[in-house]
Structure formats: C-alpha cells, structure tokens
Amino acid sequence: SETHGITFRIQISVKELLDTDVLLKLLFHLPVNYPSTLPDISVNSDQLTRAQCMDVKDKLLEQAKQHLPEPMVHDLILWIQQHLKYVIKQSAAVCNEKTTLSKEISTQDGVWMLLLHLDHMRARAKYVKTVEKWASDLRLTGRLMFMGKIILILLQGDRSNIKEYLILQKTSKVDVDSSGKKCKEKMSSVLCETKVQSQHKRFQTFEVKEYSTLDELQKEFETAGLTALFSEFVPPLLK
C-alpha cells in the first residue's frame, strides 16, 4: 500500500559447497521512500542455522547501504548468490572463535568421537579433499586411515559438529558410481559414536594416513588410547 510500502518474497537456490544446494527464502519489505531508505530483509533456510541466516541478513544490509539511493534488490540477490559460501564460512569461523574458550573450560563435556567405516572410494583424490575440507570447516580433528581395503574415518570434536559431519557425509555427492557419475555415499557405516574419555588422547590435527600392515594401524589406535575401540571394531572388518 502507499502508506506501508511493498513486501514480497523470493526463493533462490544457491549452489553451495560440494554440490549441496541451499534454498534461501528472502523477504524484502520496501518502505514508501525506498530506495532512499533501506529495505527490511528477512532470511530463512532449512539448510542454514538461525545464526547463519542472521549473518546473511547482516551482510545483505551492509551491501544495501552501498547502493543508496539507487534500487538495489536485484543487485543484492546477485551478490548473495555469488558470496553465500564466503558468508557461511566467515560465520562458522566467528562462531568457533566465540565458543572455543567456553568449550575448553567445560572440561570436554562437548567433545565426542566418531569412528566411521567406508566401503570404498572410487574418486579417491576428490573424496579425500572433501573429507579434509569438512573436518577443517567443522573444527574436527582425527584421521582418515587407509589399510589395504579398509577405510576408516576417526573424528573428534564438538558433538553438534560430529552430527553435522554425518549429515554432510550422507547427503553430499562425494564419490562417483561405476559409470563415473557423481553420487552420494551409500555404503558408510558408523562403528562407534561416543564421548571422549579421560584416557583418550586428543588429536590436535586432522591427517590422512596410509598403513602397510594391521599392526601399524593398531599402533595408531593404541597411541591415542583407543586400544579397546580397535579390538572391538577393526578386526571384524577383515573377515
């Protein structure tokens, strides 16, 4: 209306990291004196957290200020399509900086461990790079371990980030099928998901390692205080 301006919704699909589509639901309220004044913007997405949506909104408003007093909605949509990946990455970094100290003080209450078994990797180089990126983005440490045909991923970190990793593992196109077409991981299995105990060594980094023998792999687990974990879950994979 003339007194309240115009409100409209736009949904855009943004190709995010690793072939994952993010559906952004944007609501713009253009006041009567737009574009001399900024629009009100609301951002929602099922693929993003509430904090990430707020960060996207803040970045859009920052961009909007640079366009005053010219029409800007179209430019804002183009901008977020091109920069969503950066905004989300920056949001995660700020969030991690704020929470790292409190997590350290909480005596590892939020530190969990995940042992994951993969049946195979056809596109190994791409798959490994993807896992390394996820671990880095989610501040997870541990190992991606190869021994013969055995492929294991051992992760440590905040429980919510462990959960988010599992979602990425199941929903992203990380490998290729027999015909070379990109596909999701359908043959992974969670061997163990548990809270890190006092006897467990904390990994400081995430590394990709290859082992010639089962003994070498066992020593990796033993060094980390995970002998029992190895004995329960790894030997059965050889059968």
Side-chain angles (χ1 to χ4, degrees):
S1 69
E2 293 183 3
T3 55
H4 296 98
I6 300 171
T7 299
F8 59 92
R9 300 175 186 272
I10 297 176
Q11 292 193 69
I12 56 173
S13 182
V14 182
K15 184 70 72 175
E16 235 311 83
L17 296 173
L18 307 167
D19 303 317
T20 302
D21 289 334
V22 174
L23 184 66
L24 284 181
K25 303 170 186 176
L26 306 174
L27 186 146
F28 291 91
H29 172 71
L30 309 184
V32 176
N33 47 359
Y34 170 85
S36 298
T37 58
L38 293 175
D40 289 324
I41 303 173
S42 175
V43 179
N44 286 288
S45 175
D46 293 336
Q47 287 81 38
L48 302 181
T49 65
R50 185 175 180 182
Q52 288 171 328
C53 287
M54 289 296 295
D55 285 333
V56 171
K57 173 185 173 180
D58 291 343
K59 292 296 182 183
L60 283 172
L61 287 173
E62 286 179 17
Q63 290 298 312
K65 291 176 183 177
Q66 298 178 24
H67 289 277
L68 289 173
E70 301 294 329
M72 63 193 72
V73 172
H74 180 66
D75 289 325
L76 294 180
I77 292 170
L78 292 178
W79 186 88
I80 198 59
Q81 285 178 313
Q82 296 170 3
H83 294 85
L84 179 63
K85 176 170 63 176
Y86 167 77
V87 174
I88 292 174
K89 189 173 182 179
Q90 188 179 55
S91 173
V94 171
C95 179
N96 281 317
E97 286 175 6
K98 290 179 179 178
T99 58
T100 296
L101 181 60
S102 62
K103 286 178 182 176
E104 290 175 353
I105 294 174
S106 68
T107 64
Q108 296 187 345
D109 279 349
V111 181
W112 278 65
M113 178 169 57
L114 172 73
L115 181 62
L116 194 65
H117 173 243
L118 303 183
D119 184 75
H120 62 271
M121 285 185 182
R122 285 195 175 95
R124 175 165 166 169
K126 177 183 180 295
Y127 206 133
V128 168
K129 188 176 180 180
T130 298
V131 172
E132 288 179 312
K133 174 161 183 53
W134 288 343
S136 175
D137 290 348
L138 295 170
R139 297 289 181 92
L140 299 174
T141 60
R143 299 285 185 267
L144 170 52
M145 300 176 282
F146 295 92
M147 200 288 293
K149 293 185 177 180
I150 294 178
I151 307 171
L152 298 170
I153 301 177
L154 180 61
L155 297 172
Q156 292 178 344
D158 183 79
R159 191 178 188 185
S160 62
N161 288 350
I162 293 278
K163 296 290 188 185
E164 190 167 343
Y165 178 91
L166 280 172
I167 292 172
L168 288 170
Q169 182 79 50
K170 294 175 182 177
T171 60
S172 303
K173 292 180 179 179
V174 290
D175 207 359
V176 297
D177 59 22
S178 57
S179 62
K181 185 179 179 181
K182 291 180 180 180
C183 65
K184 296 177 182 178
E185 176 59 73
K186 297 180 180 179
M187 300 185 70
S188 64
S189 56
V190 176
L191 300 179
C192 179
E193 185 178 354
T194 184
K195 186 177 179 181
V196 170
Q197 304 299 319
S198 57
Q199 70 269 24
H200 298 154
K201 175 187 172 183
R202 288 294 309 279
F203 292 107
Q204 299 304 309
T205 59
F206 183 81
E207 298 178 25
V208 180
K209 302 186 75 171
E210 195 143 0
Y211 308 87
S212 304
T213 65
L214 190 62
D215 286 342
E216 288 183 10
L217 181 60
Q218 185 172 351
K219 286 177 182 177
E220 181 77 72
F221 278 79
E222 289 175 350
T223 302
L226 300 171
T227 304
L229 189 72
F230 175 88
S231 299
E232 183 175 356
F233 295 107
V234 180
L237 297 176
L238 295 170
K239 297 177 180 178

PDB file of all heavy atoms in Angstrom, residues 14 18 30-31 38 44 47 53 57 59 102 111-113 125 152 172 200 208 217 222:
ATOM      1  N   VAL A  14      20.966 -21.702  -4.248  1.00  0.00           N
ATOM      2  CA  VAL A  14      22.375 -21.358  -4.425  1.00  0.00           C
ATOM      3  C   VAL A  14      23.204 -22.630  -4.377  1.00  0.00           C
ATOM      4  O   VAL A  14      23.088 -23.418  -3.431  1.00  0.00           O
ATOM      5  CB  VAL A  14      22.850 -20.378  -3.327  1.00  0.00           C
ATOM      6  CG1 VAL A  14      24.309 -19.991  -3.568  1.00  0.00           C
ATOM      7  CG2 VAL A  14      21.961 -19.145  -3.300  1.00  0.00           C
ATOM      8  N   LEU A  18      30.473 -28.281  -2.435  1.00  0.00           N
ATOM      9  CA  LEU A  18      30.413 -29.718  -2.670  1.00  0.00           C
ATOM     10  C   LEU A  18      29.056 -30.186  -3.198  1.00  0.00           C
ATOM     11  O   LEU A  18      28.487 -31.166  -2.721  1.00  0.00           O
ATOM     12  CB  LEU A  18      30.775 -30.461  -1.378  1.00  0.00           C
ATOM     13  CG  LEU A  18      32.100 -30.008  -0.761  1.00  0.00           C
ATOM     14  CD1 LEU A  18      32.235 -30.531   0.642  1.00  0.00           C
ATOM     15  CD2 LEU A  18      33.265 -30.453  -1.627  1.00  0.00           C
ATOM     16  N   LEU A  30       9.857  -3.178   1.182  1.00  0.00           N
ATOM     17  CA  LEU A  30      10.320  -1.899   0.643  1.00  0.00           C
ATOM     18  C   LEU A  30       9.428  -0.789   1.184  1.00  0.00           C
ATOM     19  O   LEU A  30       8.240  -0.722   0.841  1.00  0.00           O
ATOM     20  CB  LEU A  30      10.262  -1.916  -0.892  1.00  0.00           C
ATOM     21  CG  LEU A  30      10.934  -3.107  -1.586  1.00  0.00           C
ATOM     22  CD1 LEU A  30      10.878  -2.925  -3.099  1.00  0.00           C
ATOM     23  CD2 LEU A  30      12.367  -3.285  -1.113  1.00  0.00           C
ATOM     24  N   PRO A  31       9.945   0.088   2.026  1.00  0.00           N
ATOM     25  CA  PRO A  31       9.134   1.174   2.572  1.00  0.00           C
ATOM     26  C   PRO A  31       8.758   2.174   1.478  1.00  0.00           C
ATOM     27  O   PRO A  31       9.286   2.130   0.354  1.00  0.00           O
ATOM     28  CB  PRO A  31      10.064   1.812   3.615  1.00  0.00           C
ATOM     29  CG  PRO A  31      11.448   1.428   3.200  1.00  0.00           C
ATOM     30  CD  PRO A  31      11.331   0.102   2.530  1.00  0.00           C
ATOM     31  N   LEU A  38      16.713   2.064   3.408  1.00  0.00           N
ATOM     32  CA  LEU A  38      16.996   0.637   3.261  1.00  0.00           C
ATOM     33  C   LEU A  38      15.729  -0.207   3.370  1.00  0.00           C
ATOM     34  O   LEU A  38      14.820   0.122   4.136  1.00  0.00           O
ATOM     35  CB  LEU A  38      17.979   0.174   4.352  1.00  0.00           C
ATOM     36  CG  LEU A  38      19.394   0.731   4.295  1.00  0.00           C
ATOM     37  CD1 LEU A  38      20.176   0.276   5.514  1.00  0.00           C
ATOM     38  CD2 LEU A  38      20.092   0.293   3.022  1.00  0.00           C
ATOM     39  N   ASN A  44      15.533 -16.867   5.642  1.00  0.00           N
ATOM     40  CA  ASN A  44      15.290 -18.181   6.216  1.00  0.00           C
ATOM     41  C   ASN A  44      15.826 -19.249   5.276  1.00  0.00           C
ATOM     42  O   ASN A  44      15.836 -19.082   4.054  1.00  0.00           O
ATOM     43  CB  ASN A  44      13.792 -18.418   6.453  1.00  0.00           C
ATOM     44  CG  ASN A  44      13.265 -17.640   7.625  1.00  0.00           C
ATOM     45  OD1 ASN A  44      13.561 -17.945   8.774  1.00  0.00           O
ATOM     46  ND2 ASN A  44      12.482 -16.598   7.342  1.00  0.00           N
ATOM     47  N   GLN A  47      18.547 -25.240   5.281  1.00  0.00           N
ATOM     48  CA  GLN A  47      19.904 -25.781   5.259  1.00  0.00           C
ATOM     49  C   GLN A  47      20.875 -24.994   6.138  1.00  0.00           C
ATOM     50  O   GLN A  47      21.999 -25.430   6.355  1.00  0.00           O
ATOM     51  CB  GLN A  47      20.446 -25.803   3.823  1.00  0.00           C
ATOM     52  CG  GLN A  47      19.833 -26.866   2.934  1.00  0.00           C
ATOM     53  CD  GLN A  47      18.488 -26.424   2.382  1.00  0.00           C
ATOM     54  OE1 GLN A  47      18.301 -25.262   2.052  1.00  0.00           O
ATOM     55  NE2 GLN A  47      17.543 -27.346   2.290  1.00  0.00           N
ATOM     56  N   CYS A  53      21.618 -17.545   9.126  1.00  0.00           N
ATOM     57  CA  CYS A  53      20.616 -16.709   8.449  1.00  0.00           C
ATOM     58  C   CYS A  53      20.747 -15.244   8.882  1.00  0.00           C
ATOM     59  O   CYS A  53      20.624 -14.326   8.056  1.00  0.00           O
ATOM     60  CB  CYS A  53      19.205 -17.223   8.752  1.00  0.00           C
ATOM     61  SG  CYS A  53      18.785 -18.767   7.914  1.00  0.00           S
ATOM     62  N   LYS A  57      21.622 -12.000   6.536  1.00  0.00           N
ATOM     63  CA  LYS A  57      20.829 -10.767   6.575  1.00  0.00           C
ATOM     64  C   LYS A  57      21.715  -9.548   6.828  1.00  0.00           C
ATOM     65  O   LYS A  57      21.602  -8.526   6.142  1.00  0.00           O
ATOM     66  CB  LYS A  57      19.771 -10.866   7.680  1.00  0.00           C
ATOM     67  CG  LYS A  57      19.010  -9.562   7.914  1.00  0.00           C
ATOM     68  CD  LYS A  57      18.070  -9.682   9.098  1.00  0.00           C
ATOM     69  CE  LYS A  57      17.440  -8.339   9.439  1.00  0.00           C
ATOM     70  NZ  LYS A  57      16.524  -8.431  10.601  1.00  0.00           N
ATOM     71  N   LYS A  59      24.903  -9.170   6.231  1.00  0.00           N
ATOM     72  CA  LYS A  59      25.752  -8.887   5.064  1.00  0.00           C
ATOM     73  C   LYS A  59      24.945  -8.232   3.934  1.00  0.00           C
ATOM     74  O   LYS A  59      25.444  -7.340   3.232  1.00  0.00           O
ATOM     75  CB  LYS A  59      26.396 -10.183   4.561  1.00  0.00           C
ATOM     76  CG  LYS A  59      27.419 -10.768   5.511  1.00  0.00           C
ATOM     77  CD  LYS A  59      28.610  -9.839   5.685  1.00  0.00           C
ATOM     78  CE  LYS A  59      29.656 -10.465   6.598  1.00  0.00           C
ATOM     79  NZ  LYS A  59      30.799  -9.541   6.844  1.00  0.00           N
ATOM     80  N   SER A 102      34.926 -21.347  25.887  1.00  0.00           N
ATOM     81  CA  SER A 102      33.935 -21.935  26.781  1.00  0.00           C
ATOM     82  C   SER A 102      33.971 -23.452  26.708  1.00  0.00           C
ATOM     83  O   SER A 102      33.741 -24.140  27.700  1.00  0.00           O
ATOM     84  CB  SER A 102      32.533 -21.424  26.434  1.00  0.00           C
ATOM     85  OG  SER A 102      32.176 -21.809  25.135  1.00  0.00           O
ATOM     86  N   VAL A 111      32.995 -32.786  23.871  1.00  0.00           N
ATOM     87  CA  VAL A 111      33.916 -33.449  22.952  1.00  0.00           C
ATOM     88  C   VAL A 111      33.500 -34.896  22.732  1.00  0.00           C
ATOM     89  O   VAL A 111      33.454 -35.694  23.661  1.00  0.00           O
ATOM     90  CB  VAL A 111      35.363 -33.392  23.472  1.00  0.00           C
ATOM     91  CG1 VAL A 111      36.312 -34.072  22.479  1.00  0.00           C
ATOM     92  CG2 VAL A 111      35.782 -31.946  23.687  1.00  0.00           C
ATOM     93  N   TRP A 112      33.213 -35.216  21.479  1.00  0.00           N
ATOM     94  CA  TRP A 112      32.777 -36.571  21.131  1.00  0.00           C
ATOM     95  C   TRP A 112      33.698 -37.163  20.073  1.00  0.00           C
ATOM     96  O   TRP A 112      34.522 -36.465  19.473  1.00  0.00           O
ATOM     97  CB  TRP A 112      31.323 -36.552  20.640  1.00  0.00           C
ATOM     98  CG  TRP A 112      30.362 -36.542  21.784  1.00  0.00           C
ATOM     99  CD1 TRP A 112      30.213 -35.544  22.704  1.00  0.00           C
ATOM    100  CD2 TRP A 112      29.453 -37.575  22.157  1.00  0.00           C
ATOM    101  NE1 TRP A 112      29.257 -35.897  23.620  1.00  0.00           N
ATOM    102  CE2 TRP A 112      28.769 -37.137  23.315  1.00  0.00           C
ATOM    103  CE3 TRP A 112      29.139 -38.818  21.633  1.00  0.00           C
ATOM    104  CZ2 TRP A 112      27.806 -37.897  23.949  1.00  0.00           C
ATOM    105  CZ3 TRP A 112      28.167 -39.580  22.263  1.00  0.00           C
ATOM    106  CH2 TRP A 112      27.514 -39.125  23.402  1.00  0.00           C
ATOM    107  N   MET A 113      33.535 -38.436  19.869  1.00  0.00           N
ATOM    108  CA  MET A 113      34.379 -39.159  18.929  1.00  0.00           C
ATOM    109  C   MET A 113      33.504 -40.027  18.031  1.00  0.00           C
ATOM    110  O   MET A 113      32.521 -40.609  18.472  1.00  0.00           O
ATOM    111  CB  MET A 113      35.371 -40.034  19.707  1.00  0.00           C
ATOM    112  CG  MET A 113      36.285 -40.886  18.855  1.00  0.00           C
ATOM    113  SD  MET A 113      37.601 -41.601  19.881  1.00  0.00           S
ATOM    114  CE  MET A 113      36.613 -42.481  21.110  1.00  0.00           C
ATOM    115  N   ALA A 125      40.941 -39.053  -4.778  1.00  0.00           N
ATOM    116  CA  ALA A 125      41.531 -37.724  -4.581  1.00  0.00           C
ATOM    117  C   ALA A 125      40.462 -36.698  -4.205  1.00  0.00           C
ATOM    118  O   ALA A 125      40.630 -35.921  -3.255  1.00  0.00           O
ATOM    119  CB  ALA A 125      42.270 -37.283  -5.838  1.00  0.00           C
ATOM    120  N   LEU A 152      38.872 -46.041   7.153  1.00  0.00           N
ATOM    121  CA  LEU A 152      38.256 -45.589   8.398  1.00  0.00           C
ATOM    122  C   LEU A 152      38.408 -44.078   8.541  1.00  0.00           C
ATOM    123  O   LEU A 152      39.437 -43.512   8.165  1.00  0.00           O
ATOM    124  CB  LEU A 152      38.903 -46.274   9.603  1.00  0.00           C
ATOM    125  CG  LEU A 152      38.780 -47.798   9.690  1.00  0.00           C
ATOM    126  CD1 LEU A 152      39.674 -48.334  10.798  1.00  0.00           C
ATOM    127  CD2 LEU A 152      37.335 -48.210   9.920  1.00  0.00           C
ATOM    128  N   SER A 172      25.769 -35.389   0.642  1.00  0.00           N
ATOM    129  CA  SER A 172      26.559 -34.746  -0.411  1.00  0.00           C
ATOM    130  C   SER A 172      27.062 -35.765  -1.428  1.00  0.00           C
ATOM    131  O   SER A 172      27.294 -36.927  -1.094  1.00  0.00           O
ATOM    132  CB  SER A 172      27.755 -34.005   0.208  1.00  0.00           C
ATOM    133  OG  SER A 172      27.332 -33.056   1.160  1.00  0.00           O
ATOM    134  N   HIS A 200      41.524 -41.149  26.642  1.00  0.00           N
ATOM    135  CA  HIS A 200      41.684 -40.969  25.198  1.00  0.00           C
ATOM    136  C   HIS A 200      42.547 -39.743  24.914  1.00  0.00           C
ATOM    137  O   HIS A 200      42.322 -38.677  25.469  1.00  0.00           O
ATOM    138  CB  HIS A 200      40.327 -40.781  24.512  1.00  0.00           C
ATOM    139  CG  HIS A 200      39.422 -41.963  24.665  1.00  0.00           C
ATOM    140  ND1 HIS A 200      38.043 -41.847  24.606  1.00  0.00           N
ATOM    141  CD2 HIS A 200      39.684 -43.263  24.892  1.00  0.00           C
ATOM    142  CE1 HIS A 200      37.501 -43.056  24.788  1.00  0.00           C
ATOM    143  NE2 HIS A 200      38.482 -43.921  24.961  1.00  0.00           N
ATOM    144  N   VAL A 208      45.550 -37.430   6.903  1.00  0.00           N
ATOM    145  CA  VAL A 208      45.268 -38.586   6.051  1.00  0.00           C
ATOM    146  C   VAL A 208      46.492 -39.490   6.108  1.00  0.00           C
ATOM    147  O   VAL A 208      47.607 -39.060   5.806  1.00  0.00           O
ATOM    148  CB  VAL A 208      44.992 -38.153   4.597  1.00  0.00           C
ATOM    149  CG1 VAL A 208      44.714 -39.377   3.732  1.00  0.00           C
ATOM    150  CG2 VAL A 208      43.829 -37.177   4.547  1.00  0.00           C
ATOM    151  N   LEU A 217      48.358 -49.938  11.877  1.00  0.00           N
ATOM    152  CA  LEU A 217      47.064 -49.323  12.162  1.00  0.00           C
ATOM    153  C   LEU A 217      46.724 -49.453  13.641  1.00  0.00           C
ATOM    154  O   LEU A 217      46.242 -48.504  14.273  1.00  0.00           O
ATOM    155  CB  LEU A 217      45.974 -49.983  11.313  1.00  0.00           C
ATOM    156  CG  LEU A 217      44.554 -49.437  11.460  1.00  0.00           C
ATOM    157  CD1 LEU A 217      44.484 -47.966  11.093  1.00  0.00           C
ATOM    158  CD2 LEU A 217      43.580 -50.237  10.588  1.00  0.00           C
ATOM    159  N   GLU A 222      46.410 -47.428  19.501  1.00  0.00           N
ATOM    160  CA  GLU A 222      46.999 -47.575  20.834  1.00  0.00           C
ATOM    161  C   GLU A 222      47.611 -46.266  21.321  1.00  0.00           C
ATOM    162  O   GLU A 222      47.470 -45.895  22.490  1.00  0.00           O
ATOM    163  CB  GLU A 222      48.067 -48.680  20.820  1.00  0.00           C
ATOM    164  CG  GLU A 222      47.476 -50.082  20.671  1.00  0.00           C
ATOM    165  CD  GLU A 222      48.551 -51.147  20.542  1.00  0.00           C
ATOM    166  OE1 GLU A 222      49.742 -50.784  20.371  1.00  0.00           O
ATOM    167  OE2 GLU A 222      48.205 -52.351  20.595  1.00  0.00           O
TER     168      GLU A 222
END
